[in-house]
Amino acid sequence: MFRSPDEEDRRLLARVVRHDERALQTLIRRHQRLVYGLCLNVMVNREDAEEAALEVFLKLWRKAELHRGECSVKSFLCRIAINECRDRLRRRTTIIGEVEDPGVEMSQDRLAILCALRNLEEDDRMAIILYHLDGLSVDEAAEALEISPGVLKMRLVRTRARLKVILEDRDE
């Protein structure tokens, strides 16, 4: 019998609620690239992103029962990752506008975009990261941000225009 990836994720999450470590390992394998990529796009620094991603899966293990089935497991993981990264950035003592040694080779364009993202409001930054950098669909990103798809689309249009201005000002 064929199950969609979301159905399979929900089945695995139900097993995680019952403390099935093998189910957790399977969910980690299925979603580790997405979670790490999201954390890296928000945190910029590889070491911080790895720590945040690890904490996301530890929180999934401890709080799996909080998923009420209103969104996909993928969106639920993104929501945990967003909150984890936000908490870590709030605790960080360095200036948010600065990009520390990113720990990875980045093109100048990507580095410029990541720096420009730091000049945006947090909600706008997360919309761009989830949709454009992490490749979530409009529906998935909206679920992760707990907003409607229509609001997300408007936010993306507005934020892309703002990013364009920031990047053009940087080039001058």
Side-chain angles (χ1 to χ4, degrees):
M1 180 176 157
F2 175 75
R3 288 191 178 125
S4 72
D6 188 51
E7 290 171 327
E8 183 65 19
D9 283 349
R10 288 175 189 275
R11 189 181 64 75
L12 289 166
L13 188 62
R15 289 174 43 202
V16 171
V17 169
R18 296 187 308 270
H19 299 291
D20 181 334
E21 290 181 29
R22 291 180 68 200
L24 177 66
Q25 290 170 355
T26 302
L27 279 173
I28 290 171
R29 276 193 306 276
R30 290 174 69 122
H31 297 288
Q32 66 187 357
R33 290 185 67 185
L34 170 68
V35 170
Y36 173 72
L38 172 57
C39 292
L40 184 60
N41 284 325
V42 175
M43 304 299 293
V44 181
N45 178 290
R46 183 187 330 209
E47 188 174 297
D48 292 342
E50 289 171 355
E51 289 176 12
L54 177 61
E55 188 62 31
V56 167
F57 289 110
L58 288 173
K59 285 182 177 181
L60 179 67
W61 176 250
R62 292 190 304 257
K63 299 180 180 187
E65 70 280 355
L66 295 178
H67 184 263
R68 295 180 302 262
E70 297 167 353
C71 66
S72 69
V73 174
K74 184 177 181 180
S75 295
F76 182 62
L77 280 169
C78 288
R79 174 99 297 331
I80 296 170
I82 289 166
N83 289 335
E84 179 63 26
C85 290
R86 283 179 175 166
D87 290 346
R88 286 173 178 272
L89 288 173
R90 279 188 204 106
R91 290 190 305 259
R92 188 183 273 178
T93 58
T94 59
I95 299 170
I96 295 297
E98 294 179 11
V99 175
E100 300 172 12
D101 173 21
V104 293
E105 290 294 318
M106 281 192 223
S107 71
Q108 288 300 316
D109 289 341
R110 183 169 173 83
L111 190 56
I113 290 168
L114 290 173
C115 287
L117 285 171
R118 298 288 181 215
N119 293 309
L120 299 173
E121 295 292 325
E122 187 173 333
D123 291 339
D124 296 338
R125 182 173 55 244
M126 294 311 304
I128 291 290
I129 288 171
L130 289 172
Y131 183 74
H132 287 289
L133 300 180
D134 292 329
L136 270 64
S137 70
V138 168
D139 289 340
E140 291 169 334
E143 278 183 349
L145 294 172
E146 298 177 328
I147 59 177
S148 73
V151 169
L152 177 67
K153 288 177 185 178
M154 289 187 310
R155 186 174 290 170
L156 287 169
V157 168
R158 182 188 68 228
T159 305
R160 283 190 293 256
R162 177 79 178 113
L163 269 177
K164 182 179 179 188
V165 169
I166 292 169
L167 291 169
E168 286 172 350
D169 288 348
R170 181 185 173 275
D171 290 340
E172 291 176 357

